[in-house]
Amino acid sequence: MTVNIENESNIKFDFSADDLVREVISYALDAKDFPYEAEVNVVLTGDEEIRAANREFRGIDRETDVLSFPALEYEAAGDFAFLDDLSEEEEAMYCDPDTGELVLGDMMVSLNRVKAQAAEYGHSEKRELAFLVAHSMLHLFGYDHMEEEERAVMQQEERSLMEGLGIFRDDRR
């Protein structure tokens, strides 16, 4: 597993954001039985930068907490069976040529939003960052929340990941 983290922010926490991001990504890959070595790219940024990306990629001119950019198109969320049938051309398209790892995609997390939402929801900044990374990983696995049925499935998957990580809503540490 390769996790490339670019921290564009000067926001600090009382824990290592990089270590937490790696832990959540690693756990999500294992928990969802992802069958390949994977690469995920993460940008930890601020409100201005994520607002610009949100405007550019989604046409929404406001800050957001996390943006996810999946590299793969799934037939069904969390179903990785199609990866067994990739052609050589598709493998070349989806795999890092240096490592051979499957590139799952990219995520951007606003550290300003992590701090603000942790305060708003009354839980720790660690919990908020872990949740946003878990949420983004689910998007990279093909989950979405546009429809109510999708939202319910994704929320259950989020709860499962957070419980597996041992990070809970009432955690104020």
Side-chain angles (χ1 to χ4, degrees):
M1 170 187 85
T2 300
V3 179
N4 299 307
I5 301 174
E6 181 180 340
N7 192 334
E8 302 176 339
S9 173
N10 60 2
I11 293 176
K12 302 293 182 218
F13 298 101
D14 62 359
F15 59 90
S16 168
D18 288 9
D19 289 349
L20 181 62
V21 166
R22 284 188 177 85
E23 176 186 355
V24 173
I25 290 171
S26 177
Y27 182 78
L29 289 165
D30 289 344
K32 296 303 295 172
D33 293 323
F34 191 74
Y36 300 97
E37 288 298 313
E39 179 179 317
V40 177
N41 301 302
V42 180
V43 177
L44 302 175
T45 194
D47 279 347
E48 287 182 35
E49 296 81 7
I50 208 163
R51 180 179 185 160
N54 204 20
R55 182 175 50 246
E56 179 181 348
F57 295 109
R58 298 179 63 221
I60 300 172
D61 189 17
R62 68 173 182 262
E63 296 86 13
T64 190
D65 49 11
V66 64
L67 291 172
S68 306
F69 304 96
L72 303 170
E73 289 188 32
Y74 293 83
E75 294 173 23
D79 182 356
F80 310 118
F82 76 98
L83 295 171
D84 294 334
D85 300 322
L86 292 181
S87 67
E88 285 184 29
E89 183 178 292
E90 288 171 317
E91 276 190 33
M93 202 167 67
Y94 296 129
C95 293
D96 183 308
D98 295 327
T99 65
E101 293 175 322
L102 189 66
V103 179
L104 277 177
D106 306 329
M107 68 178 74
M108 289 183 79
V109 180
S110 168
L111 298 184
N112 295 100
R113 299 285 87 218
V114 168
K115 285 201 171 272
Q117 289 174 183
E120 179 182 341
Y121 301 139
H123 55 240
S124 71
E125 294 168 348
K126 178 180 178 182
R127 192 270 176 204
E128 187 64 22
L129 179 57
F131 175 81
L132 293 176
V133 173
H135 178 88
S136 188
M137 283 301 293
L138 290 169
H139 280 304
L140 299 188
F141 292 147
Y143 290 87
D144 210 342
H145 46 81
M146 298 304 286
E147 305 295 328
E148 188 53 41
E149 185 176 304
E150 293 173 330
R151 182 184 326 280
V153 169
M154 189 155 177
Q155 287 174 337
Q156 178 53 44
E157 292 291 334
E158 290 166 343
R159 276 191 297 279
S160 177
L161 289 176
M162 295 303 288
E163 287 171 6
L165 286 160
I167 301 174
F168 304 97
R169 274 192 179 272
D170 62 355
D171 178 11
R172 288 175 178 62
R173 287 177 276 134

